[in-house]
Amino acid sequence: MRMSRRLLSIATLVACLFGLAAAQPSRRGVTAEDYFSFEFISDPNISPDGKLVAYVLTKVDRAQNRRNSSIWMVASDGSRAPWQFTTSPQSSTSPRWSPDGKSLAFLSSRPESTPPLAPPAGSASAATAEPPRSQVYLLSMNGGEAKRITNLKNGVSVFRWSPDGTRFVAVSRIGPSDSKGENKDRSDVRHYKNSSYKFNDTGWFDDRRTHLWVVDAKSGEAKQITEGNDWNDSDPQWSPDGTRVAFVSNRTGKEYEENRNTDVWVISAEGGALTKISDHVEADNQPRWSPDGKWIAFTGEIHDRDHPKIFLAPSTGGAPSQLAANGLDLIPGGLEWSNDGKSLYFETGVKGELHLFRVDVPAKTITQVTSGPRAVRGIDFSFASGKMVYLVNDFKHLDDLRVADLSGRNERKLTDLNQALWKQLQFADVERFTYKSTDDWDVDGFFVKPIGWQAGRKYPLILSIHGGPAGQYGVDWYHEFQVYAAKGYAVLFTNPRGSTGYGQKFERGIVNEWGGKDYLDVMNGLDAALRRYPWIDQDRMGVTGGSYGGFMTNWIVGHTDRFKAAVTLRSLSNFISDDGTRDGAYGHSPDFGGDIFQRYELYWDRSPLKYARNVKTPTLILHSDNDYRVPIEQGEQWFRALRHFGVTAEIVFFPRENHNLTRTGEPKHLVESLNWQLYWFDRFLNGNAGAVPPDAK
């Protein structure tokens, strides 16, 4: 009897467990369209007392095909759930606390009042109408309506509070055309005298330059304190006593002839003469005042394309700078002094991760503060409370906000974005391995198994190559890799020479090696993965990449037939024509030991176009109409050459997009770009002759 009861109990338990499992909703793999549901957090700013954190939350409006950003708040001790702070149809960004913590300033492009009726379409006034520019707004923590502070004609891109909270220093644009007024008969041609006349992110240059204004925080009265038509001023930083402003500018007059010699300058907050602080002939950036105002820390390059070092110079100028940290072989960003002046903090990429580091200024030593297989970024400090906030993501999570002590201990998560969606999804893991390549160099590889992997089966592989080449792959969030894995593909990505995060020697290992040892690093990584994962189907391998990764994709298919499909995005095919048409004229000189006129044969030898006759791999080319970094003619040349030699090839042009399509492009274009990749790999790796291209659906 007791045995029967025990068996009955076991049977009941098993039935309950099966019932519970059946009740659990099955998770699905990530899709390209999930992008429309993602919530993106950015730009955290902690209050002076460390109690509240303001941040920007961005969501995608699929119907309007746009992104909307608003400012949210959260208590740093977790005592209150996050709440929305701004509620305008126009986006709000760049939250910055007043020094007393009683109000929050931010940028928004809200109209001043109810706009007039729109002019008839096609009329002259309709053609010249411009949307409102971003201006500084102020919102009291006691509530009420946001008050517009600035009224600069071309808006504000960056602003900073003065230490006493009575003023802002703001960055805006101004030029000769602003003083000419509206003239319907004025010529609309583009006329240039310098070799630099366009930039990928902003398009064709006009005659406006960025300069500095000091703005009264109550009245909005603004005074321009820097000027000039041949240079731009940026990154303004107040002195601790509020009497001076440090900033970055290339005052050689040759900025628009590709000269990179930016310097750190200091000017009175009332305007007037400049004092030069930095002393290098290459780029100096990121000026940061010491708490006592006696020193300015900055980053600087001694030689062209060196990794920047951290330097200290007297804030009065006139004396040589000195190294602030010994043995630094990383690329420091987000430079920040501690309030006691004994430490400098910076964030950087290191071996496939992003982390915070601290410089002990008296000892000139460097210590890593954060750690772990993840990306830590967007760090902001409240030294008075001993807290810092930052964003964290990894291969299976988008960014969330965290708070910790300045030592990195006692970390606590403050937001839980995307959780409703995440509960529906199944994510792939990333496995990391290191392999030997040419010159006996160690190279990092990262590998993703397909969702639902089963032993004994063969699976196709997608090899992805990052852009740059000065960039890195790692344990960051990659939407496309999760989508590949959900579709049954294994994914391999590596950090070949030329990648950042491994020191200057490794990054500059790309010099004269585009398509050489970097190519061997990538292919050696593939061979290492095939040895580690013998279940990969070597007859069903695809390759893809964007920018430099697009160049390497083109190079690979011109030098091996191992891949059955290729998708090349914003890719370079011909160095000769690219260097004369891209936004940085002759920008590959540091990697080739000279420009196309000095090293013509080398440039042509390293151009994938030279080897187009060797290509057998079906290739899909994705390019953007307004790509000024790798102009659209690069994709066109590659497409026509492949068709000329009988290769199965198709090309897709994305209107209104630039080189950043897969990062900041229109949401629908970004998603469609990923779906084009899936279409091509399904057709040629899975052998699906019925695969339907996205534009036919």
Side-chain angles (χ1 to χ4, degrees):
M1 179 72 70
R2 282 195 292 268
M3 181 63 70
S4 298
R5 286 175 178 171
R6 187 178 301 166
L7 291 174
L8 180 61
S9 299
I10 293 172
T12 302
L13 177 61
V14 170
C16 288
L17 289 175
F18 272 109
L20 182 62
Q24 295 290 329
S26 60
R27 297 194 175 209
R28 60 173 177 82
V30 181
T31 68
E33 285 71 21
D34 283 325
Y35 179 85
F36 295 123
S37 301
F38 291 162
E39 295 179 321
F40 302 94
I41 185 173
S42 62
D43 204 3
N45 197 245
I46 189 168
S47 61
D49 61 8
K51 293 182 179 180
L52 294 175
V53 185
Y55 59 90
V56 176
L57 184 65
T58 301
K59 300 180 182 181
V60 177
D61 184 333
R62 186 171 185 175
Q64 297 294 321
N65 191 30
R66 62 189 293 266
R67 299 172 183 84
N68 295 321
S69 297
S70 56
I71 295 171
W72 286 60
M73 291 279 183
V74 66
S76 64
D77 62 1
S79 61
R80 182 179 176 184
W83 71 94
Q84 189 168 350
F85 190 68
T86 62
T87 56
S88 168
Q90 293 78 28
S91 286
S92 300
T93 60
S94 302
R96 298 294 182 266
W97 292 94
S98 60
D100 61 8
K102 294 182 179 180
S103 57
L104 190 78
F106 59 92
L107 293 179
S108 186
S109 56
R110 306 173 183 190
E112 286 189 83
S113 58
T114 304
L117 292 175
S123 67
S125 55
T128 58
E130 293 184 351
R133 308 285 189 178
S134 288
Q135 303 285 355
V136 177
Y137 283 78
L138 193 62
L139 189 54
S140 170
M141 293 305 295
N142 294 325
E145 293 294 322
K147 176 185 177 182
R148 176 169 164 173
I149 303 300
T150 60
N151 293 282
L152 297 176
K153 179 178 180 179
N154 294 306
V156 175
S157 57
V158 174
F159 72 95
R160 297 189 187 279
W161 285 93
S162 64
D164 63 2
T166 63
R167 294 167 294 170
F168 300 103
V169 60
V171 178
S172 186
R173 303 174 70 242
I174 193 170
S177 60
D178 289 317
S179 62
K180 296 177 181 178
E182 296 297 331
N183 182 351
K184 65 180 180 179
D185 295 323
R186 188 174 159 200
S187 173
D188 60 357
V189 304
R190 291 189 293 266
H191 174 206
Y192 301 103
K193 299 178 182 179
N194 303 106
S195 60
S196 180
Y197 47 82
K198 60 184 176 181
F199 184 66
N200 178 72
D201 298 67
T202 53
W204 299 98
F205 291 164
D206 55 25
D207 64 359
R208 298 181 178 97
R209 306 291 179 251
T210 58
H211 290 297
L212 309 184
W213 277 255
V214 172
V215 183
D216 185 273
K218 288 185 177 180
S219 67
E221 181 180 351
K223 178 181 180 180
Q224 185 179 347
I225 63 171
T226 68
E227 59 184 8
N229 295 329
D230 295 321
W231 50 73
N232 295 279
D233 303 323
S234 63
D235 197 9
Q237 302 286 332
W238 288 96
S239 63
D241 62 4
T243 63
R244 295 175 290 169
V245 176
F247 65 97
V248 175
S249 185
N250 182 343
R251 294 294 177 114
T252 65
K254 299 178 181 178
E255 178 180 345
Y256 289 89
E257 293 297 341
E258 305 299 336
N259 182 285
R260 300 178 65 249
N261 185 17
T262 54
D263 277 299
V264 174
W265 304 82
V266 168
I267 189 172
S268 166
E270 302 300 321
L274 302 182
T275 300
K276 187 178 179 183
I277 303 299
S278 59
D279 52 357
H280 304 113
V281 297
E282 294 299 331
D284 296 311
N285 292 287
Q286 296 191 78
R288 300 294 184 267
W289 295 83
S290 62
D292 61 9
K294 294 180 179 180
W295 297 90
I296 293 179
F298 63 93
T299 59
E301 300 175 17
I302 299 176
H303 304 104
D304 187 24
R305 297 302 195 271
D306 274 358
H307 277 191
K309 309 296 183 184
I310 301 175
F311 293 92
L312 292 175
S315 63
T316 53
S321 63
Q322 55 185 275
L323 277 176
N326 294 325
L328 176 62
D329 197 17
L330 298 168
I331 302 175
L335 205 60
E336 190 77 35
W337 283 90
S338 63
N339 60 347
D340 61 6
K342 295 180 179 180
S343 301
L344 278 164
Y345 291 87
F346 66 89
E347 51 189 282
T348 188
V350 53
K351 297 181 178 179
E353 301 169 1
L354 295 175
H355 285 296
L356 176 68
F357 288 74
R358 183 179 69 85
V359 177
D360 183 313
V361 175
K364 297 187 178 182
T365 57
I366 304 169
T367 304
Q368 186 169 335
V369 178
T370 60
S371 60
R374 57 185 185 162
V376 176
R377 59 178 139 229
I379 303 164
D380 192 47
F381 300 90
S382 170
F383 291 107
S385 66
K387 296 178 183 177
M388 61 180 181
V389 293
Y390 44 86
L391 305 178
V392 173
N393 75 25
D394 57 36
F395 195 72
K396 298 169 74 172
H397 300 89
L398 272 164
D399 284 304
D400 266 303
L401 180 65
R402 302 191 184 221
V403 63
D405 299 340
L406 298 177
S407 63
R409 293 189 290 268
N410 298 315
E411 182 180 87
R412 183 170 60 254
K413 193 175 182 182
L414 296 180
T415 62
D416 229 357
L417 302 177
N418 298 295
Q419 284 309 299
L421 175 62
W422 256 229
K423 291 177 181 178
Q424 305 172 35
L425 303 179
Q426 181 179 1
F427 296 98
D429 295 308
V430 61
E431 301 173 10
R432 181 175 187 152
F433 64 96
T434 302
Y435 59 93
K436 289 290 184 181
S437 189
T438 306
D439 300 326
D440 202 35
W441 284 14
D442 288 332
V443 178
D444 280 344
F446 303 85
F447 189 81
V448 184
K449 285 185 178 180
I451 296 292
W453 179 87
Q454 297 177 11
R457 291 186 55 188
K458 289 281 190 179
Y459 290 87
L461 170 80
I462 295 176
L463 168 66
S464 181
I465 305 155
H466 69 64
Q472 66 167 10
Y473 271 151
V475 289
D476 218 322
W477 165 260
Y478 301 102
H479 179 203
E480 64 271 33
F481 295 168
Q482 291 291 349
V483 173
Y484 295 159
K487 290 293 186 178
Y489 302 108
V491 186
L492 171 66
F493 49 106
T494 67
N495 283 333
R497 70 192 65 205
S499 302
T500 54
Y502 298 86
Q504 182 170 310
K505 179 181 178 182
F506 192 90
E507 183 195 332
R508 299 312 295 150
I510 195 70
V511 176
N512 294 328
E513 289 296 345
W514 286 57
K517 292 178 182 177
D518 57 345
Y519 165 69
L520 295 177
D521 287 348
V522 173
M523 299 307 291
N524 286 335
L526 175 65
D527 290 335
L530 294 177
R531 289 191 295 270
R532 291 174 63 92
Y533 309 102
W535 45 264
I536 296 172
D537 188 343
Q538 298 188 38
D539 292 326
R540 291 194 295 153
M541 297 193 302
V543 60
T544 187
S547 196
Y548 166 81
F551 155 81
M552 184 56 70
T553 297
N554 297 344
W555 184 267
I556 284 173
V557 297
H559 288 78
T560 178
D561 295 338
R562 296 177 69 178
F563 295 93
K564 297 301 182 287
V567 180
T568 183
L569 298 86
R570 52 190 179 274
S571 69
L572 189 151
S573 62
N574 181 356
F575 278 112
I576 307 299
S577 61
D578 174 74
D579 259 36
T581 56
R582 68 197 298 268
D583 59 359
Y586 312 123
H588 292 106
S589 295
D591 288 343
F592 286 85
D595 59 35
I596 56 175
F597 306 105
Q598 299 165 308
R599 307 297 301 275
Y600 182 91
E601 292 301 329
L602 177 60
Y603 275 79
W604 180 237
D605 284 343
R606 299 298 177 176
S607 295
L609 193 66
K610 179 178 179 179
Y611 308 97
R613 66 176 66 249
N614 301 331
V615 178
K616 300 293 187 293
T617 306
T619 300
L620 176 66
I621 300 152
L622 306 181
H623 224 106
S624 298
D625 281 1
N626 298 327
D627 191 334
Y628 298 139
R629 182 63 40 79
V630 180
I632 195 170
E633 56 90 13
Q634 291 290 302
E636 292 179 280
Q637 286 195 70
W638 190 236
F639 171 66
R640 287 177 170 174
L642 296 187
R643 296 292 296 178
H644 178 73
F645 289 112
V647 180
T648 300
E650 297 178 13
I651 191 166
V652 179
F653 298 121
F654 286 83
R656 302 180 300 281
E657 301 293 356
N658 63 21
H659 196 66
N660 302 321
L661 166 63
T662 57
R663 295 180 289 271
T664 59
E666 294 177 14
K668 288 183 179 179
H669 281 163
L670 188 152
V671 170
E672 186 172 341
S673 171
L674 185 46
N675 280 325
W676 276 102
Q677 298 169 50
L678 296 176
Y679 150 72
W680 200 255
F681 289 133
D682 186 31
R683 180 176 167 187
F684 292 101
L685 299 189
N686 296 333
N688 181 8
V692 180
D695 62 341
K697 293 180 180 179

